[in-house]
């Protein structure tokens, strides 16, 4: 495990994003009742396809 806050099989990283794009993602996340991080993960999965999960 990378650190005590990151689950096995996940990677933590910093993302710098334009404030306008962040606001759009945050709005979508709120509509879907997800965190911004989970919304970004969802968008990436939709774009690249689902990966094998536990």
């Amino acid at each position: 495990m990378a650190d005590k806050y990151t689950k096995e099989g996940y990677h933590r990283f910093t993302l710098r994003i334009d404030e306008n794009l962040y606001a759009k993602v945050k709005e979508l996340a709120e509509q879907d009742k997800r965190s911004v991080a989970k919304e970004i993960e969802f968008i990436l999965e939709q774009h690249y396809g689902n990966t094998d999960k536990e």
Side-chain angles (χ1 to χ4, degrees), residues 34-46:
R34 286 192 265 263
S35 68
V36 171
K38 283 296 181 184
E39 187 68 24
I40 291 170
E41 183 178 4
F42 175 78
I43 292 166
L44 289 170
E45 286 175 347
Q46 294 299 301

Side-chain angles (χ1 to χ4, degrees), residues 1 3 12-13 23 25-27 37 45-46:
M1 188 180 297
D3 61 56
R12 175 187 287 245
F13 70 98
V25 172
K26 184 177 180 184
E27 184 177 327
E45 286 175 347
Q46 294 299 301

Side-chain angles (χ1 to χ4, degrees), residues 1-47:
M1 188 180 297
D3 61 56
K4 65 181 183 178
Y5 302 107
T6 305
K7 291 193 305 188
E8 187 74 32
Y10 283 78
H11 293 274
R12 175 187 287 245
F13 70 98
T14 301
L15 174 66
R16 288 174 180 79
I17 186 170
D18 175 78
E19 64 186 32
N20 294 321
L21 181 56
Y22 180 85
K24 291 176 186 177
V25 172
K26 184 177 180 184
E27 184 177 327
L28 288 173
E30 289 171 354
Q31 290 172 11
D32 295 332
K33 300 194 182 343
R34 286 192 265 263
S35 68
V36 171
K38 283 296 181 184
E39 187 68 24
I40 291 170
E41 183 178 4
F42 175 78
I43 292 166
L44 289 170
E45 286 175 347
Q46 294 299 301
H47 183 77

